Amino acid sequence: MTEPTQYGFYVDSTKCTGCKACHVSCKDRQGNEIRNNTNPEANGVPALNGVTWRRVYEYGGGQWTEGQNGCFEQSVFAYYMSIGCNHCSEPVCVKACPTGAMHKRREDGLVHVAQDLCIGCESCARACPYDAPQIDRERKVMTKCDGCFERIAEGRKPVCVESCPLRALDFDTMDNLRAKYGNGDGHIAPLPPESITSPNLIIKANVHGGQGGDILNPTEV
């Protein structure tokens, strides 16, 4: 039996400008997928309120300090992180699902939802530290990033990767990503510790990137 393949994402937070092109392109594809699968005759994109498979977070901190001469110095910073599903090696959403609807595919390691088995209990959403599974309240089923699997089958990248104007995102097998980028810098704030789910995500950290899972200091707002 062949070894399972595992795909994953690479994020370069030194390049991300927070433009949200990945966020918007993912939302467009998401709406088209749901519309075409449920009501191909409908016009426009479903509202899908509260459902955003890829999100761009702004993280900032630092403070101003007054020196003895009355001058002020500052350490204020901000950077962006684009995050979606990390198709984890130990997906807690799969473990939390009572029906087996949430599952990890052997052929590519992507975590998918079998919506015919989903009962919309949201157990997977409560378990996931990345807010990846999200409920479509109109259809009462869970949805999430599927890795643009149909595009991968055609030899293309996910739509979020292809839409990034700064090329801050990449997607490939984890073996290929590690060969190209190394092991990365680990999770940075505002992401949770990697130990929770063993995510398939390599990050190049912003120079100000703090360790993932850190608790914000009250002065760092």
Side-chain angles (χ1 to χ4, degrees):
M1 181 179 293
T2 59
E3 289 295 315
T5 299
Q6 178 63 64
Y7 280 86
F9 283 100
Y10 168 78
V11 179
D12 185 344
S13 67
T14 70
K15 291 182 178 180
C16 181
T17 62
C19 72
K20 299 190 179 181
C22 57
H23 174 134
V24 174
S25 63
C26 176
K27 184 78 172 182
D28 283 346
R29 174 187 172 271
Q30 167 190 325
N32 286 334
E33 285 293 300
I34 292 176
R35 180 184 61 198
N36 292 338
N37 290 337
T38 59
N39 186 6
E41 304 302 323
N43 293 319
V45 177
L48 298 172
N49 292 324
V51 180
T52 309
W53 293 348
R54 179 160 288 277
R55 302 162 304 283
V56 177
Y57 294 102
E58 180 179 4
Y59 182 84
Q63 56 189 345
W64 290 82
T65 57
E66 184 178 2
Q68 292 182 349
N69 60 359
C71 294
F72 285 84
E73 295 183 356
Q74 56 86 17
S75 58
V76 175
F77 68 88
Y79 61 83
Y80 299 94
M81 269 297 301
S82 173
I83 193 72
C85 177
N86 298 314
H87 303 284
C88 305
S89 293
E90 300 293 334
V92 291
C93 59
V94 172
K95 295 177 183 178
C97 180
T99 67
M102 194 70 71
H103 63 284
K104 188 171 179 66
R105 297 170 18 137
R106 181 179 177 83
E107 63 266 35
D108 50 24
L110 300 178
V111 177
H112 278 204
V113 185
Q115 295 190 342
D116 57 332
L117 298 177
C118 180
I119 58 175
C121 68
E122 301 187 65
S123 296
C124 56
R126 287 189 290 271
C128 177
Y130 300 100
D131 193 31
Q134 299 173 5
I135 191 165
D136 177 354
R137 300 199 178 278
E138 295 177 17
R139 297 184 299 137
K140 297 180 175 60
V141 294
M142 299 307 296
T143 69
K144 64 178 296 298
C145 162
D146 57 15
C148 287
F149 67 99
E150 82 289 357
R151 295 169 64 92
I152 304 308
E154 298 172 353
R156 304 174 66 188
K157 300 282 188 180
V159 67
C160 60
V161 174
E162 289 191 352
S163 68
C164 179
L166 276 298
R167 301 296 181 260
L169 296 175
D170 201 357
F171 180 89
D172 207 330
T173 67
M174 289 303 293
D175 288 342
N176 287 345
L177 290 178
R178 290 191 185 102
K180 188 174 181 180
Y181 303 110
N183 291 322
D185 299 314
H187 271 21
I188 58 176
L191 301 184
E194 299 169 83
S195 58
I196 300 174
T197 64
S198 299
N200 288 294
L201 174 67
I202 296 174
I203 296 173
K204 182 177 180 180
N206 184 282
V207 66
H208 297 292
Q211 182 178 357
D214 283 353
I215 299 175
L216 279 175
N217 186 294
T219 63
E220 296 179 336
V221 180

